Amino acid sequence: MSQPPRPPARPVVRSHHGDDFVDDFAWMSDKHSPEFLDHLAAENAYTAGRTAHLDALRKELYSDILARTRQTDLTVPDFVRHSDGSTWWYYSRSVEGLDYSVHCRLAGDDPDRIPDVTEAPTDEQVVLDENELAEGQSYFALGMCDVSPDGTRLAWSEDLSGDERYRLRVIDLATRTDLPAPDVAVAGGGCWCGDDRLVYLTMDNAWRPDRVWLHTLGTDDPDVLLRHEPDERFWLGVDESRDRTRVVLAAESKQSGEYRLLDAADPASGARLVTPRREGLEYSVEVGTDALYVVHNLDAPEFQLSSAPFTASGIDDWRTVVPQRPGVRVLGVHAYADYLVLSSRRDGLPLIEVLTRTADGGWGDPTPLTFDEPLYSAGAYSADDPATDRIRLMHESLVSPRRLDEYRLDTGARRTLKQTEVLDHPTRGRYDPTAYVQRREWATAPDGTRIPLSIVHRADIVPDGTAPALLYGYGAYEHALTPWFSIPRLSLLDRGFVWAIAHVRGGGELGRGWYEQGRLLAKPNTFSDFVACARHLAATGWTSPDALVAQGGSAGGLTMGAAVNLAPDAFRAVHADVPFVDALTTILNPELPLTVTEWEEWGDPLHDPEVYRCMKGYTPYENVRPVRYPSVLATTSLNDTRVEVTEPAKWVAQLRRTVIADETRPILLRTELVAGHGGVSGRYQAWRDLAFELAWIIDQVQPQPR
């Protein structure tokens, strides 16, 4: 197809707060209509035609990923002691040529001797083979995958379309026979409640987990409703305590929380409330061996850690363990018998601290764990054993592949268990992290706020304005983009790209205040921050506007759309993945999935005229201008329930008919027809899709022959 699709305009007037907006493409909201599906097929055909010349480059990039990735690999085994006294090592395998993981276990009784299972031992037991489950399916995603406390049964769930509605299954691990399970669509989470009971969640029509149920295996009794959440701002979640004696029931909104604890041995006694919800009080609960440990924001905007007796009836029983500290945003805690492991953020980077039990039963001061790089991601994995003397730490950076260490809580000793391998490239040779440089720089926003950037490039790149660059951004939900390693990114760096993260407001990199400055009525700061980062990269010589590509997905796709409306001259191209670009239309409709729960993030434009005016001023679909725009690639999925495919389809149609046409800057839409918010499910097709996107990005700033 040589000409882009031109969908018909069918005006529908949307009227709110005295403002009328004519939406010519509102008809696309019926995403399963034959006309709309034909339109998506035409868009896919047009995109395929406009990118056909990139076939050789796509194959090269896909080969790069395969060559550098150890496709047959396994996770480090985890030691688990079950309630029946059995002890097992649990791990997962990936096998070259297969898309999905194989989950396995091996009997063993010594937690100090991690078994070598590189070659499958003869007594290895396959717990679940995702490849067998996915056979014949266009899409497969595993939700719950949890072995019962006594180690005899497995509960797991599967999504076969990408719409995040799962089917729950239970099997006997000894006989491999299916056991009766609830025959309803469930949410992805769930857990065991003792050896023969399951707790699972169901969703309302808005895809909000709103009910928690208890199912007892081996009986015909109807499942028991444990909790129903009528407030549409809140969603429910469940988890087991570390010692599996309690089920934790959480009800959370964007700015409030409420927790209950259910006795796993006596669920009929009911769930006990930790403290009632109150507007603006956010808290989470960790069940320790001696007390509850609560991370909360009561009189502490950046959060603090308190303890409470198991019999606590409210906040009056909370006692401070770690008070709020300047510049430290407390995120969560893992509680063990003799140690607390506290996770926070400080100066835009992860902070992991250990507190040791003192002789009087209290806790010592937090001791920070150090990492040997200026920019990094790090995390502490939760150990199953409440009496453990060791944890596992993850560490990676823009130049260092992910590493898993064992850290001894008693001695501070650290040993590396595994580091992700980057295999030798057939033409570029061995990966050398010293051949690349990572750095932190700061852009200045229009209001004078300094915005951090994390930057990586080849060591021989100089800031003379000639290098191509990619600027990645998100900026919502207090989600922090900590620097991570990527094998596919090497294909850009080796081609001379500068790659950068814009840590814009609305994210959580610099604490709760950083988030608050980029949400609700302050949301426009997110977009001007991103533009400021783009201008900074050009002003400092790392790139030029004609060589800069912007990239972001979901709420980050909103950032892309709003930023290019603000400053279309700042970018050569934009890749917006599952982009939230018709934000106002969506947030005005409480019948759409997840809308009401989002009002605390974006505001409620349906009832608040000030919020309406704010969102009307930045929502990408309604602010496209008749000027020259960058090239645009919008990627999406038909079954996405978080950002409907309607949004990027409408946005692309609006862009094409509004901006000044430029044959060298095409506007493309590519839709996966069997996938969800995270794209396709199999790793090989995901790598092919990534190669498609990388090839398009490269072609925009390093044009390929046609």
Side-chain angles (χ1 to χ4, degrees):
M1 180 183 292
S2 58
Q3 295 299 316
R6 297 288 182 183
R10 296 179 185 139
V12 172
V13 178
R14 186 194 70 205
S15 298
H16 291 279
H17 308 297
D19 176 68
D20 293 336
F21 172 70
V22 179
D23 190 346
D24 285 337
F25 302 113
W27 63 269
M28 293 185 182
S29 62
D30 184 3
K31 69 178 187 179
H32 293 296
S33 71
E35 182 181 21
F36 183 61
L37 293 175
D38 287 345
H39 172 67
L40 294 182
E43 289 282 10
N44 280 352
Y46 176 67
T47 297
R50 287 302 305 251
T51 59
H53 67 292
L54 300 177
D55 182 61
L57 179 57
R58 286 195 292 265
K59 290 177 179 176
E60 180 183 344
L61 293 164
Y62 179 67
S63 296
D64 282 353
I65 296 170
L66 295 185
R68 286 177 162 139
T69 301
R70 182 165 294 286
Q71 298 167 59
T72 294
D73 205 355
L74 70 159
T75 62
V76 177
D78 282 314
F79 185 78
V80 176
R81 190 182 305 277
H82 288 293
S83 61
D84 66 352
S86 64
T87 52
W88 295 84
W89 291 94
Y90 285 84
Y91 49 96
S92 298
R93 295 186 179 280
S94 59
V95 179
E96 184 169 354
L98 299 181
D99 274 310
Y100 304 97
S101 295
V102 182
H103 305 278
C104 307
R105 68 179 182 178
L106 182 70
D109 57 8
D110 187 351
D112 288 321
R113 298 183 62 182
I114 301 175
D116 182 359
V117 291
T118 306
E119 299 295 331
T122 57
D123 53 347
E124 176 180 273
Q125 183 179 125
V126 173
V127 175
L128 192 71
D129 187 341
E130 294 184 40
N131 299 283
E132 292 181 358
L133 305 174
E135 188 172 354
Q137 305 293 340
S138 299
Y139 181 92
F140 174 83
L142 187 65
M144 179 184 183
C145 184
D146 196 6
V147 176
S148 61
D150 64 5
T152 64
R153 302 179 182 96
L154 174 74
W156 60 278
S157 60
E158 62 181 356
D159 171 11
L160 299 180
S161 68
D163 66 358
E164 298 184 57
R165 288 186 181 268
Y166 294 80
R167 178 191 176 198
L168 183 61
R169 303 278 297 275
V170 183
I171 60 173
D172 184 299
L173 288 173
T175 65
R176 308 302 300 181
T177 56
D178 286 319
L179 302 175
D183 188 20
V184 293
V186 302
C191 66
W192 288 93
C193 178
D195 294 328
D196 59 358
R197 290 180 294 266
L198 281 171
V199 177
Y200 65 94
L201 301 117
T202 57
M203 296 177 284
D204 62 13
N205 291 332
W207 259 254
R208 176 180 66 99
D210 71 324
R211 286 175 169 84
V212 180
W213 301 85
L214 180 70
H215 172 77
T216 301
L217 299 175
T219 73
D220 295 326
D221 296 339
D223 292 352
V224 176
L225 180 63
L226 295 175
R227 177 83 177 136
H228 172 235
E229 178 52 65
D231 190 332
E232 294 180 277
R233 298 174 302 161
F234 285 77
W235 61 92
L236 299 179
V238 299
D239 200 2
E240 293 174 276
S241 62
R242 191 177 314 282
D243 60 7
R244 310 191 85 163
T245 62
R246 295 172 179 83
V247 174
V248 182
L249 309 179
E252 294 182 305
S253 76
K254 293 291 191 302
Q255 57 186 26
S256 301
E258 184 178 74
Y259 279 69
R260 287 174 165 82
L261 301 177
L262 183 72
D263 186 342
D266 184 20
S269 63
R272 188 179 62 78
L273 182 64
V274 175
T275 198
R277 73 183 62 173
R278 54 193 275 190
E279 197 69 23
L281 174 60
E282 298 176 60
Y283 72 95
S284 60
V285 176
E286 166 83 354
V287 179
T289 59
D290 63 330
L292 302 177
Y293 291 89
V294 185
V295 171
H296 63 90
N297 68 341
L298 182 65
D299 300 323
E302 297 295 339
F303 291 69
Q304 61 183 341
L305 176 65
S306 296
S307 65
F310 291 119
T311 57
S313 58
I315 58 176
D316 290 340
D317 296 317
W318 294 0
R319 297 292 179 265
T320 300
V321 177
V322 179
Q324 177 178 245
R325 295 166 288 171
V328 177
R329 165 64 163 100
V330 179
L331 301 172
V333 66
H334 295 154
Y336 307 103
D338 295 318
Y339 306 96
L340 299 177
V341 180
L342 193 64
S343 295
S344 306
R345 276 195 296 269
R346 181 177 63 190
D347 298 329
L349 295 172
L351 172 65
I352 300 172
E353 298 170 293
V354 174
L355 288 77
T356 301
R357 179 87 66 181
T358 57
D360 61 1
W363 296 102
D365 293 332
T367 300
L369 305 187
T370 59
F371 299 91
D372 56 0
E373 294 187 90
L375 302 177
Y376 59 87
S377 292
Y381 288 102
S382 176
D384 290 324
D385 182 4
T388 191
D389 60 2
R390 68 201 71 187
I391 58 172
R392 290 179 176 179
L393 301 175
M394 179 280 295
H395 165 268
E396 64 184 321
S397 75
L398 294 171
V399 299
S400 297
R402 177 170 293 197
R403 189 181 76 222
L404 184 68
D405 290 349
E406 179 184 84
Y407 178 82
R408 291 292 299 256
L409 296 165
D410 52 351
T411 66
R414 192 183 302 195
R415 64 166 174 153
T416 296
L417 302 178
K418 183 181 179 68
Q419 183 158 32
T420 298
E421 290 184 81
V422 181
L423 301 183
D424 293 353
H425 190 278
T427 59
R428 296 186 178 91
R430 179 161 298 178
Y431 173 69
D432 177 8
T434 66
Y436 305 87
V437 176
Q438 59 178 344
R439 66 179 70 244
R440 169 62 50 83
E441 293 192 4
W442 298 82
T444 302
D447 64 359
T449 302
R450 299 178 73 230
I451 314 300
L453 294 98
S454 297
I455 301 172
V456 63
H457 55 82
R458 252 185 11 223
D460 62 340
I461 299 295
V462 295
D464 60 4
T466 63
L470 187 148
L471 180 63
Y472 186 87
Y474 188 73
Y477 304 111
E478 203 180 354
H479 176 66
L481 295 176
T482 51
W484 69 93
F485 185 79
S486 166
I487 284 178
R489 186 197 300 141
L490 296 176
S491 294
L492 293 180
L493 298 181
D494 287 347
R495 286 170 172 81
F497 272 72
V498 174
W499 194 95
I501 304 169
H503 300 289
V504 297
R505 284 174 284 184
E509 288 87 343
L510 297 181
R512 174 50 67 96
W514 197 249
Y515 168 53
E516 296 290 353
Q517 293 175 46
R519 67 187 283 254
L520 299 174
L521 296 176
K523 189 64 202 171
N525 286 334
T526 301
F527 318 129
S528 55
D529 286 358
F530 191 81
V531 172
C533 290
R535 302 286 194 203
H536 173 88
L537 290 176
T540 53
W542 289 118
T543 190
S544 66
D546 284 338
L548 178 59
V549 181
Q551 185 181 50
S554 194
L558 167 62
T559 301
M560 299 304 103
V564 296
N565 283 341
L566 282 176
D569 62 308
F571 309 96
R572 175 59 180 82
V574 175
H575 173 214
D577 186 37
V578 291
F580 185 40
V581 282
D582 192 15
L584 182 53
T585 301
T586 294
I587 298 299
L588 281 167
N589 187 352
E591 296 181 1
L592 288 176
L594 307 178
T595 288
V596 176
T597 63
E598 294 291 319
W599 281 349
E600 292 182 348
E601 177 74 22
W602 313 98
D604 175 7
L606 186 62
H607 302 102
D608 188 330
E610 188 176 11
V611 171
Y612 179 89
R613 286 191 294 271
C614 179
M615 294 193 70
K616 180 72 182 292
Y618 69 69
T619 187
Y621 176 60
E622 298 178 30
N623 289 281
V624 177
R625 296 192 280 145
V627 298
R628 190 174 186 238
Y629 265 57
S631 301
V632 172
L633 172 64
T635 50
T636 184
S637 300
L638 180 62
N639 296 331
D640 189 348
T641 57
R642 298 176 184 246
V643 179
E644 297 281 344
V645 63
T646 301
E647 297 200 30
K650 290 173 64 177
W651 181 52
V652 164
Q654 188 82 304
L655 284 166
R656 285 215 191 101
R657 75 170 188 172
T658 305
V659 307
I660 294 176
D662 185 338
E663 179 64 20
T664 67
R665 297 189 172 196
I667 297 167
L668 306 179
L669 174 67
R670 188 172 191 250
T671 304
E672 294 287 351
L673 298 180
V674 186
H677 193 63
V680 296
S681 57
R683 60 173 176 162
Y684 287 97
Q685 185 56 48
W687 288 337
R688 290 187 181 93
D689 287 352
L690 184 53
F692 175 92
E693 295 161 4
L694 290 173
W696 181 85
I697 288 167
I698 292 168
D699 185 46
Q700 297 308 304
V701 292
Q702 295 175 336
Q704 304 296 298
R706 291 181 176 272

